[in-house]
Amino acid sequence: MPHNHRYRKNRKDFFVGRVEKDVAPPRLSGEELHDVVSEYGNIVFGLQSSKQKFPGFGLTHNWVKRSIFWELPYWKTNLLRHNLDVMHIEKNVFENIFNTAMDVKGKIKNNIKARLDLALFCNRQNIELVCDESRVTKPRASFVLEKNAQLLVYKWLKSLVNMEECRLYEMKSHDCHVFMQTLIPLAFHDLLPNRIWDALTEINHFFRDICSIKLNVDHIERLETNIVETLCKLEMIFPP
């Protein structure tokens, strides 16, 4: 049994059933951020030691450096200062979902540590670790396919692409992009419980919609609202 299991159990009552009422932190404008980082003086590269951190670190802020980009006169007026790669994020989401559902050894998010976190943060006793004096047992979760179902998925994929063995490897971002937006609902249809399949289909639609050639403001606003509910569904299904 992991050494911190008892510590996690003792804190379980504090987290389970707790209602979060804190307001979300304010989103600062570019000018407001510029005023904050300007207080830190010279540019600092890399992480700093505990004796060199900016005053108030961990209390009023978590800044450990000031980016050199703030020296650009137009940086604070940019509407988009951090351009996230959608296909890279999509690849990460796909790999986590697929590997966890297919129980791919060494690449799952359903490991022992995640099951310990379930006991601390969630109320899903049916998939918590079962510990006795000799061993620790990990009950199979509903989001993990049984062996026969996994073989069905691999055989189906083999009929679509040239697969020499029952596993996917060396998939590039575009491969994951196509799989996430096209094949995820088909691959797990009738193999996962409806509530899980529905949530995966919603995240599939989200990525497909934001990658559309044409978008309008109303559509983007609906996506921003709906993705919150989708993420909540995923959090209630998969480990934290």
Side-chain angles (χ1 to χ4, degrees), residues 90-156:
E90 193 175 27
K91 181 176 186 293
N92 289 339
V93 173
F94 163 74
E95 289 179 341
N96 288 336
I97 289 175
F98 185 84
N99 292 333
T100 299
M102 298 294 287
D103 201 23
V104 179
K105 186 176 181 180
K107 296 184 178 181
I108 61 174
K109 297 299 181 181
N110 180 34
N111 50 33
I112 296 296
K113 183 178 182 301
R115 291 298 181 95
L116 287 173
D117 287 338
L118 282 176
L120 178 61
F121 298 108
C122 307
N123 186 18
R124 284 180 265 178
Q125 298 181 1
N126 58 315
I127 58 174
E128 290 183 12
L129 294 178
V130 178
C131 307
D132 55 34
E133 296 180 356
S134 59
R135 63 176 182 172
V136 176
T137 305
K138 186 174 70 172
R140 191 182 70 84
S142 58
F143 52 79
V144 176
L145 296 180
E146 297 181 350
K147 292 296 182 181
N148 292 337
Q150 295 174 24
L151 289 176
L152 288 176
V153 174
Y154 283 127
K155 288 180 180 179
W156 175 71

Side-chain angles (χ1 to χ4, degrees), residues 35 53-54 70 73 84 92 112 155 168 174 177 187 205 227:
D35 292 340
K53 288 178 180 176
F54 300 124
W70 287 104
L84 303 178
N92 289 339
I112 296 296
K155 288 180 180 179
L168 299 179
H174 187 266
H177 165 78
H205 289 168
I227 191 59

Side-chain angles (χ1 to χ4, degrees), residues 6 19 27 36 41 52 59 65 73 102 133 137 148 150:
R6 181 178 299 176
V19 177
R27 180 178 298 179
V36 172
Q52 295 176 322
L59 298 176
K65 68 175 182 178
M102 298 294 287
E133 296 180 356
T137 305
N148 292 337
Q150 295 174 24

Side-chain angles (χ1 to χ4, degrees), residues 86-87 90 177 181 206-213 215:
V86 175
M87 289 184 64
E90 193 175 27
H177 165 78
Q181 296 193 15
F206 173 78
F207 280 113
R208 189 179 61 188
D209 290 344
I210 64 174
C211 293
S212 300
I213 297 176
L215 290 170

